[in-house]
Amino acid sequence: MIGCFALGLAIGGFFDGIFLHQILQWHHLLSGIESRADDLRFQVMADGLFHLAMYVLLLCGLGLLWRPRRNSDISPLPTANAIASTFMGFGAWHLIDALLSHWLLDLHRIKMDSPNPLFWDLLWLAVFGIGPLLLGWQLLKRPPPGAGSRPAVLLFGLSAVAIGAAAASLLPAARGAPQAVLFGGDTSASEIMQAIAVANGSVVSTDASGTLWVVRFESPLLAYQLYRSGAVMVGGVPAAGCLTYSVPASARRV
């Protein structure tokens, strides 16, 4: 059950990262830090480290779920209990995120540009936090009829959902959609432009540091070639308009 709870936490983290950071772009992990709010390189890196932490949590959950049962006295985990633990982990993630990140530490709010951020905080918490927690608790108290132990189906099903959530965070953007690419500080502008050209990309914009670029790719999968050219992070994020500095029109097509 601890493994299922950990998987629920990881799925909750990936859910927030995919929808709030990437698709809706309502906030970054550390958008509430005023001194670094405009440092997009810092924000993108923080989001990447957050996803890395979710991968570690995912692996821990899978390890607990798949570890050998050497004690023959331990009965298989009932399906209802496993699903309940996963729901409770998902809900617990949003409860912890609301209490710590939104209100105590003020790292971010659900919708940073809203005139009433508390409304969105409470709405998100009610739907994705309190709701799954109550559903999980209900399943623990009153498992549905016929909810017996199905170890193989349970293991493969939960693992597939968790790994699917992790894989979704790595999906490239659609063809022609802008992607944020973060390079290391030791990569020169000419090397970056050459690498983008090899990947059949066109530059949309870059920040003042010259390390964070927004690029359109004819083939999204080619974007991952940039990891061999000094890229630290290649995100499948529709990020056009996020940067305040645009390259000259003559340099946008490489």
Side-chain angles (χ1 to χ4, degrees), residues 11-25 50-51 164-171 236-238:
I11 294 171
F14 283 123
F15 178 82
D16 275 11
I18 293 167
F19 280 94
L20 296 176
H21 300 175
Q22 297 182 351
I23 297 177
L24 298 176
Q25 298 183 53
F50 167 75
H51 276 264
S169 68
L170 296 175
L171 290 177
V237 185

Side-chain angles (χ1 to χ4, degrees), residues 66-85:
W66 284 89
R67 67 179 179 177
R69 298 293 190 264
R70 297 185 176 86
N71 189 345
S72 59
D73 295 332
I74 299 178
S75 61
L77 178 65
T79 302
N81 288 8
I83 295 175
S85 297

Side-chain angles (χ1 to χ4, degrees), residues 29-34 95-109 112 121:
L29 178 66
L30 302 179
S31 292
I33 301 178
E34 293 184 3
L95 178 61
I96 294 169
D97 186 43
L99 293 176
L100 292 181
S101 301
H102 301 169
W103 301 329
L104 294 180
L105 301 179
D106 200 24
L107 298 180
H108 62 259
R109 308 299 289 270
M112 291 294 297
D121 291 348

Side-chain angles (χ1 to χ4, degrees), residues 122-209:
L122 293 175
L123 178 63
W124 196 266
L125 175 61
V127 175
F128 298 111
I130 305 300
L133 279 172
L134 292 177
L135 179 59
W137 180 250
Q138 188 68 17
L139 285 174
L140 283 179
K141 290 176 61 180
R142 298 180 182 177
S149 300
R150 299 175 183 174
V153 175
L154 172 66
L155 290 177
F156 282 105
L158 287 179
S159 299
V161 171
I163 294 173
S169 68
L170 296 175
L171 290 177
R175 179 178 178 180
Q179 298 193 58
V181 184
L182 180 65
F183 287 90
D186 56 348
T187 308
S188 67
S190 60
E191 291 172 331
I192 292 173
M193 296 287 281
Q194 183 178 4
I196 292 173
V198 171
N200 196 20
S202 58
V203 176
V204 176
S205 58
T206 182
D207 72 341
S209 71

